[in-house]
Amino acid sequence: MPLTLADVLQIARLSQLDIPETQLQKSLDQMNDILALVEEMRAVDTTGVEPLSHPVSAFQQDLALRLREDAVTESDQRAAYRQNAPAAQDGLFLVPKVIE
């Protein structure tokens, strides 16, 4: 079911977007194109298709993800960073209370 200009105006109002009158038709066409693509994708039968962990694994089955070693590479600068804070306590930055 394609959208109408009234739908575009309603979407713009709900999302608090100010779409100029000159752009309404273009926005309508783009939204209808997106919805048409979604409908086209819904029509594809995906029964029995396993989700992929990586798109390359669709054609390269022995794909190993290259992950870096989880190692500390920088020195502890915590005390130096707290020196610039207006207030700190027990290693934490103190901020004014804004919610009652």
Side-chain angles (χ1 to χ4, degrees):
M1 179 174 154
L3 296 175
T4 64
L5 282 175
D7 295 327
V8 173
L9 290 170
Q10 176 71 0
I11 292 168
R13 186 184 67 76
L14 292 172
S15 57
Q16 298 182 357
L17 294 175
D18 183 23
I19 301 176
E21 292 287 329
T22 58
Q23 292 293 316
L24 284 176
Q25 186 61 44
K26 183 177 180 180
S27 297
L28 173 64
D29 295 340
Q30 289 175 340
M31 288 182 191
N32 280 327
D33 288 346
I34 291 169
L35 293 176
L37 178 61
V38 169
E39 287 302 317
E40 186 178 331
M41 291 171 61
R42 282 186 180 167
V44 175
D45 181 22
T46 58
T47 306
V49 177
E50 293 293 323
L52 301 174
S53 61
H54 192 281
V56 177
S57 64
F59 57 88
Q60 184 179 354
Q61 300 299 328
D62 60 343
L63 176 71
L65 297 177
R66 295 172 289 200
L67 301 175
R68 65 175 174 83
E69 182 182 340
D70 189 13
V72 177
T73 58
E74 297 180 9
S75 62
D76 182 12
Q77 301 282 328
R78 190 173 186 181
Y81 295 145
R82 274 197 319 265
Q83 286 179 351
N84 293 332
Q89 179 181 346
D90 299 326
L92 304 174
F93 294 104
L94 300 178
V95 295
K97 186 176 182 179
V98 293
I99 299 176
E100 296 288 328

